[in-house]
Amino acid sequence: MIPKTHPRYESLLLRDKVKNALKEGYLADSGMIAHGRGEAFDYLIGEKTTETAKKACEAAVATIYLAKNPVLSVNGNTTALAIDEIIELAKATNSKIEINLFYRTPERVEIITKMFKERGWEKILGGNDEELAYIDNLNSPRATASEEGSYTADVMLVPLEDGDRAEILVQNGKKIIAIDLNPVSRTAKMSTITIVDNIVRAVPLMTKIANEFKESGKAYDKEFLEKIVNNFSNEENLKDSLAAIELK
Ligand code: ATP
Ligand code: MG
């Protein structure tokens, strides 16, 4: 048990979740390395959502609302850190959820499938029982694609993604929204919209924005949504994210 008074309580809690995911068998060991890299960048931005990240979240939500077939892609880290938050976002934005693992094994897929089902999310795509297609030009088990999900998706949220998958998804004509604490990763640069923030903060913020847009009717105002998207430059946003890193 981590004492609540510990100055790094939140961070240690996340670390614990990732460690448990490894023990439970659905996270690859390299997922822990990815988490460590994320922690370092989170430290540098002060472990809070910047105004820059908030702008990216708004553009992301607008993009999802304009999509025909939006899909939220989940891996081991995402499941460990934000499974409930992802389900909430999918509900708020009417998106599908699909499993995609860098180191795909039937066991890992089975555990993640079960975790989503236990939380009432029955229709998880990319599972073991589905006959999967493959994303072109990506020659690995992580190229698996559900026909009704990532294969035909026009917009995809890919938290904690690897650079070459992000690049190939973009080449396949998809709008890619990344959540990545590293503003200079290939994923961050390749994606259509990059949210430089911790997934545990970014996803709930997206849900909040999505619900606000619904309540105000803006979610159904195509012109409003398009304006947000058109005013967003990922290049500029990444520059601002980099500037938010303070070395004191
Ligand atoms: P790329 O292939 O895009 O250049 P990489 O190979 O350096 O990136 P990967 O291990 O492929 O990195 O992906 C993990 C990414 O996820 C890292 O950039 C890391 O900063 C980021 N990350 C880790 N934990 C979190 C988190 N909790 N929230 C958001 N991003 C995170
Ligand atoms: Mg990589």
Side-chain angles (χ1 to χ4, degrees), residues 1 14 21-22 30 33 52 62 68 86 96-97 111 157 160 175 182 186 207 221:
M1 270 289 281
L14 299 186
L22 185 80
S30 61
I33 299 172
T52 310
K68 284 197 182 73
I86 286 283
K96 294 169 183 166
I97 303 177
I111 298 170
L157 177 76
L160 284 66
K175 292 196 173 105
N182 178 0
R186 283 180 314 124
T207 304
D221 182 346

Side-chain angles (χ1 to χ4, degrees), residues 31 58 62 86 96 101 110 112 144 146 189 203 216 218 228:
E58 280 168 359
I86 286 283
K96 294 169 183 166
L101 306 182
E110 191 186 320
I112 295 173
T144 56
S146 162
K189 289 178 184 159
V203 175
S216 62
K218 288 173 181 162
I228 294 182

Side-chain angles (χ1 to χ4, degrees), residues 5-234:
T5 49
H6 193 289
R8 307 233 11 96
Y9 177 74
E10 289 294 330
S11 172
L12 291 176
L13 208 65
L14 299 186
R15 205 175 258 207
D16 237 34
K17 286 184 179 177
V18 172
K19 280 192 326 203
N20 288 338
L22 185 80
K23 263 191 237 151
E24 285 164 28
Y26 66 91
L27 187 91
D29 45 12
S30 61
M32 297 187 80
I33 299 172
H35 183 75
R37 185 173 303 149
E39 274 184 344
F41 281 103
D42 207 9
Y43 229 115
L44 293 173
I45 62 166
E47 295 174 320
K48 57 182 189 315
T49 302
T50 63
E51 275 308 306
T52 310
K54 196 172 169 217
K55 264 191 222 161
C57 283
E58 280 168 359
V61 170
T63 302
I64 292 174
Y65 273 144
L66 287 166
K68 284 197 182 73
N69 187 17
V71 172
L72 316 182
S73 177
V74 295
N75 58 17
N77 291 66
T78 300
T79 304
L81 296 175
I83 184 168
D84 296 320
E85 292 80 356
I86 286 283
I87 292 173
E88 287 305 308
L89 179 62
K91 283 184 190 160
T93 57
N94 216 358
S95 299
K96 294 169 183 166
I97 303 177
E98 177 170 336
I99 301 172
N100 182 275
L101 306 182
F102 194 99
Y103 299 105
R104 186 181 175 101
T105 67
E107 294 75 27
R108 288 187 185 129
V109 172
E110 191 186 320
I111 298 170
I112 295 173
T113 302
K114 192 166 157 250
M115 288 173 73
F116 273 90
K117 289 192 173 170
E118 275 168 4
R119 285 163 174 79
W121 192 268
E122 291 293 328
K123 205 172 159 39
I124 179 97
L125 301 175
N128 289 328
D129 301 338
E130 202 181 328
E131 198 173 322
L132 297 170
Y134 284 84
I135 294 280
D136 299 341
N137 303 326
L138 196 55
N139 188 15
S140 109
R142 76 201 145 102
T144 56
S146 162
E147 285 278 354
E148 59 175 302
S150 62
Y151 199 71
T152 50
D154 52 348
V155 171
M156 283 179 73
L157 177 76
V158 292
L160 284 66
E161 187 54 80
D162 178 56
D164 54 328
R165 180 164 181 254
E167 182 174 9
I168 280 159
L169 290 170
V170 169
Q171 277 170 10
N172 275 262
K174 301 174 195 305
K175 292 196 173 105
I176 296 300
I177 302 162
I179 301 176
D180 192 333
L181 277 159
N182 178 0
V184 293
S185 74
R186 283 180 314 124
T187 304
K189 289 178 184 159
M190 291 300 165
S191 299
T192 320
I193 297 171
T194 306
I195 301 164
V196 181
D197 197 10
N198 198 314
I199 184 171
V200 302
R201 297 188 299 268
V203 175
L205 178 59
M206 287 175 76
T207 304
K208 184 168 171 261
I209 293 167
N211 287 331
E212 278 168 11
F213 281 3
K214 258 196 251 175
E215 278 152 27
S216 62
K218 288 173 181 162
Y220 318 99
D221 182 346
K222 213 174 157 207
E223 229 171 277
F224 168 83
L225 298 173
E226 277 170 353
K227 204 168 156 193
I228 294 182
V229 174
N230 293 338
N231 283 340
F232 181 84
S233 153
N234 205 44

